[in-house]
Amino acid sequence: MSTGESWGPAEPAGPTGAAVRKRALRRAAVALGGGAAAAVYLWHTDPHQPGQLLIPCPFKWATGLLCPLCGGTRMAYDLMHGEVVTAFHDNAVLLTLGGPVVAYAVGRRLVAGLRGRVYRPRLSGRGNAVVLGIAAVWMLARNLVG
């Protein structure tokens, strides 16, 4: 075997900056289109009224308890209709903490993708503990207080 030969196929090179940008734009367009379609449907479907065709919370269905995300659909509906106080009542923690965190993560991923880089958010063990702790305290508080 000569020194120029290799034993297996060449390792694939990572995606180029142009490929990452194209993929980021494609994913953003798909997410925007799906989000817009869901928003149009939700705009005309009042989740505060019974009998609406919406996906019920599986945790609430199985246990009868509110999960940390319960009220998120009602909250989104209320925000789209300019009812911020009602949205806060539907799920205060999701509105005040979840919204900004998701906006930051999505924005950071989109900006990195447009720059030809891949952004992979990572939570440390402490970060996971904080998120789970907030969710647990919120779930307990809203089920005990009512």
Side-chain angles (χ1 to χ4, degrees), residues 51-71:
Q52 302 295 333
L53 184 58
L54 295 167
I55 300 170
C57 174
F59 185 81
K60 185 175 181 183
W61 173 81
T63 66
L65 299 172
L66 297 171
C67 79
L69 299 176
C70 277

Side-chain angles (χ1 to χ4, degrees), residues 11-24 26-27 112-113 115-120:
E11 299 227 359
T16 65
V20 171
R21 277 190 291 281
K22 185 176 179 181
R23 184 174 56 212
R26 185 174 51 246
R27 288 179 177 176
R115 291 181 176 167
R117 299 185 181 121
V118 177
Y119 171 68
R120 291 186 179 92

